[in-house]
Amino acid sequence: MEPFQHNLSNLFSQLGLNNSDEFIQVFITQHQLSQQQHITEAPFFSKVQRRFIQECQEQDADWCEVIDQLDALLRK
């Protein structure tokens, strides 16, 4: 059995979003965070999506590295 691959595509799928490369690029371009804003405060995520991200971070889950990657991409 192969370990689950945590990447941006799988994170978007987990969040219930389209996980195509094109959608991810457009999403990142259209949604940005200020330097002071925490990803769990992002207004473009639903309450359920924010809760998932927060719980992953609190539990230091396997998703944390990919969430951190998305967080960085949303600040460029």
Side-chain angles (χ1 to χ4, degrees):
M1 181 182 221
E2 290 184 40
F4 185 72
Q5 293 291 340
H6 295 296
N7 57 40
L8 279 178
S9 177
N10 290 333
L11 177 60
F12 271 67
S13 181
Q14 184 70 26
L15 292 171
L17 299 170
N18 182 328
N19 68 342
S20 70
D21 290 339
E22 295 82 15
F23 179 86
I24 292 170
Q25 288 302 323
V26 169
F27 183 92
I28 290 168
T29 301
Q30 293 180 348
H31 299 91
Q32 295 291 297
L33 297 170
S34 70
Q35 291 303 317
Q36 301 81 17
Q37 195 173 26
H38 194 273
I39 192 167
T40 58
E41 300 169 344
F44 44 83
F45 287 129
S46 71
K47 183 177 179 179
V48 172
Q49 292 166 328
R50 289 190 303 266
R51 187 177 326 126
F52 171 78
I53 292 168
Q54 183 174 3
E55 287 175 1
C56 286
Q57 291 177 326
E58 288 172 352
Q59 298 170 7
D60 196 26
D62 292 342
W63 287 106
C64 283
E65 187 174 324
V66 180
I67 291 170
D68 289 346
Q69 179 185 3
L70 177 59
D71 185 277
L73 291 169
L74 293 171
R75 296 178 192 280
K76 288 187 175 180

